[in-house]
Amino acid sequence: MSPQTKDVGTDVFKPKNMVANEILHIIDRGKALFTSDITTVENELRQRVEGSRFLVLGGAGSIGQAVTKELFKRNPKKLHVVDLSENNLVELVRDLRSSIGYIDGDFQTFALDIGSVEYDAMIQADGQFDYVLNLSALKHVRSEKDPFTLMRMIDVNITNTVKTIEQSIANGVTKYFCVSTDKAANPVNMMGASKRIMEAYLWKYSDQISISTARFANVAFSDGSLLHGFNLRLDKRQPIVAPSDISRYFVTPSESGELCLMSCIFGVTGDTFFPKENENFRLTSMQTVAERFLAMKGLTPKVCESEEEARMYFNSNKRTGTWPCFFPTSDTTGEKPFEEFYTEDETLDLEHFLAFGIIKNDRSFDPQKLNQFEETIKDFRESRQWSKKAIVDLFQMMLPHFQHEEKGKSLDNKM
């Protein structure tokens, strides 16, 4: 009996690791996005990486690991990686050693919190880099469920960005790259709004250092993502759940690294890179992705009418080759039915690359609003008192068109 057809009533399903082509199939894609563009610029890309020193912040997360691999395989002169997760850093090193091997340059990892004094001491001791790539982020919509995690999101997505830019300027760094999100375009959740405010800070400092960014699609099977959860649900013999009315753009982990690297190396100040929509890259419903995932595993969805029915499925059903699924409509705070990479008032360059679009920002920002934002956050922290509503009001002051709707239910209230 093959692993895809085990009796779900008597054995735990163990999903195999998926290769790139299988991920592309699940996210309804025919081929990789950026191959042609990368091939065209590969010689220049390699020359720039080989001759440069890189600091990657948040380098052991899903996107961070992908970016680190893209840099490592091009033999940089210096590559230092910082991340809060000691375990993920260990796996990153093991992965690099087992797949690529070694480089001639200085490669080191540091298990540090970017907001810590230990990190500051490291930068003071050795802050000599040509490129700083900030990939650290609180990326989940569910992080806005309470005022304390929400403040942590502000700290990571905004405050640490400002801190690391200022350190980069002080140390003569040539280029600063910081990852944004598609949720920053016409944001409806606090995570997207925090990244939109972060973008304003990027442009504030862009007259002192070259800065570019990228707005992302969902990275398929990245840590903590719904698709990553599909693998865990099968491993733990639990139901698959996905919203029936939510669609997303998806990139593979390797494509996420390529997107960041291209913006970092080739983006000029004010550029925001994003994947261009085409027949091979379009919005895909989460339910469709769930169904294709199960089909790839040799399983047929058994659509349930409630969470309870889905949870109890294995207690009463011994059928081979089926898996319980629940596909509800979305009713939680911050969930946008679809994503977009740019707004109608942003200027686009869709001609420079085949698969990369570029938002040519005018680098506008309101210094008075940024100052007010900083002072208000400082007051909240010093008093140790703030509410979610107070932070939402502050975000709406910063972003007048921010369409936040509090529905009284977060993703933590759902299966």
Side-chain angles (χ1 to χ4, degrees), residues 151-164:
M151 184 61 78
R152 171 65 177 159
M153 182 167 65
I154 293 170
D155 192 41
V156 173
N157 292 358
I158 301 174
T159 306
N160 283 352
T161 298
V162 172
K163 171 184 174 177
T164 54

Side-chain angles (χ1 to χ4, degrees), residues 325-340:
C325 297
F326 181 48
F327 299 127
T329 56
S330 177
D331 60 354
T332 53
T333 300
E335 284 293 334
K336 195 174 182 180
F338 62 93
E339 299 294 5
E340 51 199 329

Side-chain angles (χ1 to χ4, degrees), residues 8-9 12 23-24 31 33 87 134-135 160 227 267 270 278 292 314 366 369 381:
V8 297
V12 175
I23 294 177
L24 287 172
K31 58 183 179 180
L33 284 178
N87 288 338
N134 183 6
L135 308 169
N160 283 352
L227 275 65
N278 55 44
R292 294 175 75 92
F314 293 122
D366 186 330
K369 284 187 175 182
R381 286 181 171 146

